[in-house]
Amino acid sequence: MNAELEAVLSYHQTSKHGFKAYASGPRFLDMEIKPDPFLSYRGAPVLKLDTWDEKNINTELLPGYEQVFCPEKLEPSGISRRSISQLFFDSFALSVWKKAGSARWPLRINPSSGNLHPTEVYLISGPVPGLLKKPSVCHYSPLPHALELRAEFSGETWKKISSGFPEGTFFIGLTSIYWRVAWKYGVRAFRYANHDLGHAIAALSFAASGLGWKACLLADMASEDIAKVLGISGRQGPEKEDPACLLAVYPAGKECISGKVSSSAIPDFEKLYWAGVPDRLSPAHVEWAGIEKASSVTRKGNTNHFGEKQAEPKPEIQTSGLSGEVPDHGTHSDLEAAPLRRVIHMRRSAIEMNNSAYMEKEDFYGMLRRTLPDKNPVLNTLPFGPFSHLLLFVNRVKELFPGLYIFLRKSGEKEMLKSRFRPDFLWEKPESCPHELELYMLVEENLYDFAAQLSCSQRKAADACFTACMLSEFEGPLKKFGSWVYPYLFWECGILGQLLYLEAEARGFRGCGIGCFFDDPLHETLGLKGLEYQDLYHFAVGSPLQEIGVVTFPAYGK
């Protein structure tokens, strides 16, 4: 095992919570140095984007939520000020302001651990009518819903960077500022920031699909090349932005066959003038050496794992003004009528859940079916995996016995997992379960309190209709791909979490991501030994209780 893998495994072990001790974190929350959740590039030109009020969103019935899973059947939007504005508005903008007493805070379309938002977003595009006169790199600022113009570059450079991609492609870059999360969560923040990256990738994918576009992760890109094209290379200190990923966004009826941009374009970005200076986020900082080490050893070089894919046949195109054929997912008719944008903008994290509410089995199975990677553009954002199965504490689903279940997201692994788990597990498929779903009951018992205990005693895990623990392949992917795949394992979990958020919202429920859980106690419960599988994220779905004393205001009201 090389030194980088050893460092990753060391970080993973030392960042685990246990019944006897939590992973290292701050002794108290120093509000004097709480990081600003909004980064601005002071001095960069600001380009305001279009906004939509709640009335506009609620009257926009198409596309429907179901249609985003077949974006190629929608007429793709042209690249314009309006479409770029909508993409950011439906993926990374503010969703609402909340107020309780003297406290006031915003929520965003893309959720974040502790509402701390380590993820920053960039646009790299050719000229956009009504917005960008020249090819440009822009930083997205969600507070004013605006682009900060960091650099303009030549048409020749745009040809280089867009070469090999479908006509109508532009790029979205994502970065992480780990200090924002470490301020509250300490060493475990590297995990949480990468959960947030997954949520952000999925939020982008949903918004793009609604515009007839598709997002594709350029998984062969080197971290340093991403930093160079985003203008963040060479940053130092606790507030630096770490490059995470670059995604191509293009018409869904076309196919992206490249895993990275042309290397010939990278030197051009090193010569650009970059406008604006990033504002300071905190007056002081606390150093977390474990996070810095994990970030360093998971930086990625150029690869060719996913390059030169075979193009798929192009489907027929349908105009967005028609409802279109929607695949039968066995869900309620209400789901088919749910408008996408309303679902996106109404998504919230459930703070507390109603422990007397039950979920219909059709909704439960429909949500599980949606997490399967086959023909799902949201999950196809990552070109490898799936790595995660869903271990489920089923608490209140009609016609299912309460207990511990496992849902296999990759077929053919039942016997292998069975040999790794405790020998006294039942492995019984519920009678009501559709034949194509691999759901197995392991233990028949009311495990509400145990579900909460494993999730750092958070009652929502017990009061939810079900709580999913994302059990990921771990040692295998690390050995196959290298240390850089470690964050990607958390990205997959975040993508699943965002999918469950919107599935819950569309079906009249609410979800909540749970990053605080006891890692090894769950592994011991299952009988797992070693690092072949690891628990990487928890997610609860149920019926929310109304927040008392909290008032909401429009995200961008006058």
Side-chain angles (χ1 to χ4, degrees), residues 23-59:
S24 296
R27 287 173 292 176
F28 64 96
L29 291 184
D30 186 350
M31 301 306 293
E32 294 296 321
I33 63 170
K34 181 180 179 180
D36 190 333
F38 298 104
L39 173 68
S40 291
Y41 278 89
R42 188 173 61 259
V46 176
L47 310 173
K48 289 284 288 183
L49 298 174
D50 299 338
T51 60
W52 288 256
D53 61 25
E54 186 177 349
K55 182 179 179 181
N56 294 144
I57 293 169
N58 287 339
T59 56

Side-chain angles (χ1 to χ4, degrees), residues 322-345:
L322 301 176
S323 61
E325 180 184 354
V326 176
D328 180 14
H329 293 287
T331 58
H332 287 171
S333 58
D334 288 351
L335 186 66
E336 297 179 5
L340 171 65
R341 299 192 76 193
R342 187 186 303 172
V343 170
I344 285 175
H345 285 267

Side-chain angles (χ1 to χ4, degrees), residues 213-478:
W213 296 338
K214 195 173 181 181
C216 174
L217 183 78
L218 302 187
D220 282 326
M221 289 285 294
S223 298
E224 183 54 30
D225 286 349
I226 295 171
K228 288 175 181 177
V229 300
L230 299 182
I232 62 167
S233 184
R235 300 273 180 89
Q236 299 294 325
E239 294 188 5
K240 71 177 183 297
E241 293 178 67
D242 272 68
C245 62
L246 194 67
L247 299 103
V249 180
Y250 54 92
K254 299 180 181 180
E255 198 65 27
C256 179
I257 59 172
S258 181
K260 57 188 171 185
V261 301
S262 172
S263 59
S264 66
I266 307 301
D268 293 5
F269 287 86
E270 298 181 80
K271 303 171 186 175
L272 295 180
Y273 167 75
W274 296 94
V277 177
D279 283 337
R280 190 176 176 89
L281 303 178
S282 295
H285 309 89
V286 176
E287 183 180 355
W288 293 96
I291 293 176
E292 184 61 33
K293 183 66 173 178
S295 171
S296 174
V297 299
T298 55
R299 281 212 160 199
K300 183 178 173 297
N302 276 304
T303 56
N304 197 35
H305 291 293
F306 314 109
E308 302 308 317
K309 296 170 285 187
Q310 293 295 317
E312 297 177 359
K314 295 180 182 179
E316 294 182 5
I317 300 298
Q318 173 185 304
T319 61
S320 57
L322 301 176
S323 61
E325 180 184 354
V326 176
D328 180 14
H329 293 287
T331 58
H332 287 171
S333 58
D334 288 351
L335 186 66
E336 297 179 5
L340 171 65
R341 299 192 76 193
R342 187 186 303 172
V343 170
I344 285 175
H345 285 267
M346 287 300 294
R347 184 215 63 79
R348 307 280 187 272
S349 293
I351 306 303
E352 293 183 281
M353 294 192 182
N354 181 357
N355 61 16
S356 64
Y358 277 74
M359 178 180 288
E360 298 289 344
K361 68 178 186 300
E362 291 83 2
D363 282 314
F364 177 68
Y365 290 135
M367 293 179 77
L368 294 186
R369 183 181 285 107
R370 195 72 88 185
T371 69
L372 294 174
D374 186 42
K375 298 179 181 178
N376 187 331
V378 178
L379 295 175
N380 285 345
T381 312
L382 296 181
F384 43 85
F387 296 126
S388 287
H389 299 296
L390 301 182
L391 187 75
L392 300 161
F393 286 93
V394 175
N395 300 329
R396 297 168 191 86
V397 177
K398 292 181 181 179
E399 299 184 43
L400 264 74
F401 293 113
L404 182 65
Y405 293 70
I406 188 164
F407 178 62
L408 305 185
R409 296 182 56 246
K410 182 159 50 171
S411 62
E413 297 207 348
K414 178 185 175 183
E415 293 306 316
M416 191 269 291
L417 280 166
K418 198 172 179 179
S419 69
R420 305 301 194 273
F421 283 8
R422 286 172 45 171
D424 57 342
F425 281 158
L426 298 174
W427 289 93
E428 294 178 356
K429 187 168 185 176
E431 289 185 8
S432 62
C433 182
H435 69 89
E436 74 276 13
L437 300 183
E438 289 196 73
L439 175 71
Y440 301 100
M441 181 171 66
L442 304 179
V443 177
E444 181 187 338
E445 187 178 345
N446 288 333
L447 297 172
Y448 315 141
D449 292 337
F450 187 53
Q453 183 186 25
L454 286 173
S455 293
C456 297
S457 299
Q458 296 181 70
R459 286 303 308 172
K460 61 174 70 76
D463 297 339
C465 295
F466 71 89
T467 295
C469 308
M470 299 179 193
L471 191 67
S472 175
E473 295 176 41
F474 191 75
E475 207 168 33
L478 283 169

Side-chain angles (χ1 to χ4, degrees), residues 117-140:
H117 292 283
T119 307
E120 294 295 327
V121 187
Y122 291 81
L123 169 71
I124 304 176
S125 175
V128 176
L131 186 64
L132 300 175
K133 294 180 180 179
K134 298 180 180 179
S136 305
V137 181
C138 299
H139 170 255
Y140 175 64

Side-chain angles (χ1 to χ4, degrees), residues 15-125:
S15 63
K16 285 182 174 181
H17 288 327
F19 286 153
K20 294 182 179 180
Y22 285 88
S24 296
R27 287 173 292 176
F28 64 96
L29 291 184
D30 186 350
M31 301 306 293
E32 294 296 321
I33 63 170
K34 181 180 179 180
D36 190 333
F38 298 104
L39 173 68
S40 291
Y41 278 89
R42 188 173 61 259
V46 176
L47 310 173
K48 289 284 288 183
L49 298 174
D50 299 338
T51 60
W52 288 256
D53 61 25
E54 186 177 349
K55 182 179 179 181
N56 294 144
I57 293 169
N58 287 339
T59 56
E60 195 167 325
L61 302 181
L62 295 174
Y65 172 73
E66 287 279 87
Q67 288 181 281
V68 300
F69 297 99
C70 295
E72 65 277 1
K73 294 184 178 180
L74 298 173
E75 180 70 32
S77 298
I79 298 178
S80 65
R81 176 193 178 91
R82 181 178 178 84
S83 61
I84 294 295
S85 295
Q86 183 173 330
L87 178 73
F88 283 98
F89 194 74
D90 291 350
S91 55
F92 304 116
L94 306 187
S95 57
V96 73
W97 282 88
K98 289 196 171 190
K99 186 175 186 295
S102 60
R104 187 171 179 265
W105 67 96
L107 301 181
R108 301 193 201 181
I109 300 297
N110 58 311
S112 169
S113 303
N115 203 28
L116 297 170
H117 292 283
T119 307
E120 294 295 327
V121 187
Y122 291 81
L123 169 71
I124 304 176
S125 175

